[in-house]
Amino acid sequence: MKVTSIAAGPTRRHFTIAALGTAGALILSGCGSSGTSSSPASAPAQEGKNLAEGGSSTITLWADNARVKVLKDVAAKFKAETGIEVKLVGKDTVREDFITQVPTGKGPDLIVGAHDWLGQLVQNGVVAPVELGDKAKLFEDSAMKAMTYKGSVYGVPFAIENIGLVRNTALVSGPAATFDEVVTNGKKAVADGKAAYPFLVGLDPKQGDPYHLYPLQTSLGAPVFGTGADGGYDASKLTLGNTGGIEFAKKLKAWGDTGEKVLNSNITADIAKEKFLKGESPYLLTGPWNIPDIQKAGINIAIDPLPTAGSEPAQPFIGVNGFFISSKSTNSLAATEFAVNYLTTENVQDALFTAGGRPPALKTSFQKAAKDPVVAAFGKIGANGVPMPALPEMDAVWADWGGTELALIKGQGDPETAWNTMVENIQKKIAK
C-alpha cells in the first residue's frame, strides 16, 4: 500500500480542556517521570516497602490479551524497581466484571478501558480519580478532555481513535471538501465503469451506525448533547432535535435506498470493507483498524478530511483508551505509582501503539508515530473531533438514534416526524 497524498483540513477544537489540578503527581523516591531509578541498589526494597505499606505487595491489572502481552515488560520493570508484582490478567469482559466485582473486594487494582465507560464506572462508584499534575500537559488535549468526567480526571490515556475518509487514489485523484463532492466523484467512477459503489460505509442491519455518520450530522450543527459550564456534556441538553438534526434526517432519506443510493442499508461493515478491498468503490468511511488489511490488498490510498454536509465542521467522535484505578484497590499507592509514573512513559506508550495501531495519546509518542502519514492524517482528523459522550444517559440514546437513521435510509416514514419521535422517545428514557 502506498499513500500518495494526505489531505488535512483545519484543526479547530470543539472543546476547551477543563482546568486540571496543579498538585504534583505522586512520585516516590527512586522513580522519576521516565520510570527509571537512580537510587542505590537497596532502594527498590525500601521503596517496595513504602508502596506496600498498608496494602498488598501485588497489584492486579485487567486488560485484553493483546495489551497484556505489551505490558509484561513494564510490569517486570516495576517489580525490579519497587518490589511490587503486577499481575496481568487477560479478560474479554473487563467492564462488566469490574463493575460487578469491585464492590465485593474481588476486583483488580487497575483496568484498561475506553473513556466512554467512565459515566457508568463513576455512577457505580468503582473507579477513583487520578492526579496527573504536570504530566497532563504531556498528553493530547482531546485525550485529557475525554478522561475528564464532571471536572475530575479518572484515567491515564494511551491511545486515540477516530474515523477518516479513506480514498482509493486510482479511482478518485483528489480530496473532496463536501459530501456532495464525494457523491459526485463516486457516481462518476461508477458511470465510468471503474467502481460499483459511489461510497461505502458499514451499517448494522438493526441499528444503522450513528458513530460513523456523526461527522455528517455535526456538520449540519446537530451534536447529540450540548455542554455544561465545565465544558463537558450535559444530559439535560439533548440537541439532536434542533433544526440541524431535522435537516440531517431529510438528507439520510435522500441519500438512502429510495433516493441517491449513496447509503445502502444492505451494506454491513464487513461487506463495505470487502467491497473496498476489491476496488469496487473510491471511498470507505472507516477507522485505522481497517488500514492493515487495505495495505495488504495493495490499494493506493489517501486519508482525507471528513467531508461536510452543512456549514459547520465535520466532527467525528473520538475514543480514548486508558488505564483506570479501582476505588477499592487494596494498594492504591502502588496502583497510582504504576499508572502515573510507569504507564505514562514513552516506551510504554510507543509499545501500545505498535501493538494496537491507534495514534498515541502521549504527544512525544504521537510525534514519532506520525512519521507514518496514515497516523498523521487520522491524528489531524481526530484533533477536530469530540469525545464520545461518557454519560450513562447514552445508553438511552443509541438504540432509537440508530434505528431511526436506518429506517430513514431504507426510505421509511417522513424524516421530520420520525426524527421528532426519536427525540421524544430518547428524552423519556433519559428522564427515567
Side-chain angles (χ1 to χ4, degrees):
M1 187 278 294
K2 178 182 178 184
V3 179
T4 58
S5 66
I6 297 295
T11 56
R12 263 176 42 192
R13 296 183 189 275
H14 181 71
F15 289 101
T16 55
I17 187 164
L20 299 173
T22 56
L26 174 64
I27 300 177
L28 303 178
S29 61
C31 184
S33 62
S34 65
T36 59
S37 173
S38 58
S39 302
S42 61
Q46 180 62 41
E47 184 173 320
K49 181 179 178 182
N50 292 339
L51 287 172
E53 188 172 348
S56 170
S57 60
T58 299
I59 58 175
T60 301
L61 186 153
W62 286 356
D64 56 280
N65 289 315
R67 292 189 177 101
V68 163
K69 294 178 182 178
V70 176
L71 295 172
K72 286 183 178 179
D73 286 346
V74 69
K77 180 181 180 68
F78 188 69
K79 183 175 181 180
E81 295 183 354
T82 68
I84 302 292
E85 179 183 359
V86 180
K87 184 178 179 182
L88 301 171
V89 179
K91 291 184 72 67
D92 294 325
T93 55
V94 172
R95 174 170 47 171
E96 295 81 0
D97 290 350
F98 186 67
I99 290 173
T100 301
Q101 294 190 30
V102 165
T104 70
K106 297 179 180 179
D109 300 278
L110 303 104
I111 60 169
V112 171
H115 86 271
D116 57 304
W117 298 2
L118 274 176
Q120 191 176 13
L121 298 182
V122 173
Q123 187 179 56
N124 283 276
V126 296
V127 65
V130 59
E131 177 57 76
L132 285 173
D134 289 341
K135 287 182 186 284
K137 299 175 184 178
L138 304 179
F139 293 92
E140 297 290 342
D141 288 351
S142 57
M144 290 308 306
K145 178 62 188 178
M147 288 296 176
T148 302
Y149 185 77
K150 293 189 176 180
S152 296
V153 176
Y154 282 92
V156 174
F158 67 83
I160 304 172
E161 68 179 18
N162 52 266
I163 60 172
L165 185 62
V166 182
R167 171 169 48 88
N168 183 331
T169 60
L171 301 180
V172 174
S173 60
T178 69
F179 193 63
D180 284 344
E181 292 175 43
V182 167
V183 173
T184 298
N185 293 341
K187 286 184 174 181
K188 185 177 186 304
V190 173
D192 291 344
K194 297 179 180 180
Y197 303 91
F199 171 83
L200 289 171
V201 60
L203 299 174
D204 183 274
K206 295 182 179 179
Q207 296 296 327
D209 199 328
Y211 172 81
H212 278 83
L213 298 178
Y214 195 61
L216 297 174
Q217 180 177 313
T218 56
S219 74
L220 287 160
V224 59
F225 286 116
T227 55
D230 64 355
Y233 291 110
D234 185 340
S236 69
K237 298 179 179 179
L238 185 68
T239 50
L240 280 173
N242 65 16
T243 56
I246 300 300
E247 182 63 22
F248 179 61
K250 294 176 181 177
K251 287 185 177 292
L252 286 175
K253 189 167 185 177
W255 291 328
D257 297 347
T258 60
E260 296 185 71
K261 297 179 172 59
V262 176
L263 301 180
N264 189 327
S265 65
N266 295 312
I267 299 289
T268 65
D270 288 341
I271 293 174
K273 177 181 175 181
E274 176 190 353
K275 299 296 183 183
F276 189 81
L277 292 178
K278 290 180 178 179
E280 295 184 23
S281 178
Y283 298 106
L284 176 63
L285 188 61
T286 190
W289 46 86
N290 279 329
I291 298 301
D293 287 337
I294 294 173
Q295 291 174 331
K296 291 176 185 176
I299 298 174
N300 293 343
I301 62 169
I303 313 298
D304 292 343
L306 293 166
T308 59
S311 60
E312 300 293 323
Q315 296 181 302
F317 279 136
I318 63 168
V320 178
N321 288 325
F323 300 93
F324 304 115
I325 300 174
S326 167
S327 60
K328 304 295 183 182
S329 171
T330 57
N331 193 343
S332 59
L333 195 64
T336 301
E337 170 71 359
F338 186 58
V340 172
N341 290 322
Y342 284 78
L343 297 177
T344 58
T345 62
E346 279 189 44
N347 286 343
V348 173
Q349 298 262 329
D350 290 350
L352 287 164
F353 163 69
T354 300
R358 272 57 165 179
L362 191 70
K363 292 177 182 178
T364 52
S365 291
F366 175 75
Q367 290 168 2
K368 288 185 284 185
K371 292 177 181 178
D372 180 338
V374 170
V375 175
F378 276 111
K380 282 192 174 183
I381 293 168
N384 189 45
V386 292
M388 187 181 297
L391 299 171
E393 288 84 358
M394 276 302 293
D395 290 343
V397 175
W398 289 113
D400 287 282
W401 190 13
T404 300
E405 287 189 354
L406 186 63
L408 291 170
I409 291 168
K410 288 181 175 181
Q412 299 170 0
D414 171 68
E416 184 169 358
T417 301
W419 201 257
N420 284 333
T421 298
M422 174 198 75
V423 170
E424 290 173 7
N425 289 338
I426 291 173
Q427 287 175 328
K428 290 176 182 177
K429 289 180 178 179
I430 289 176
K432 291 181 180 180

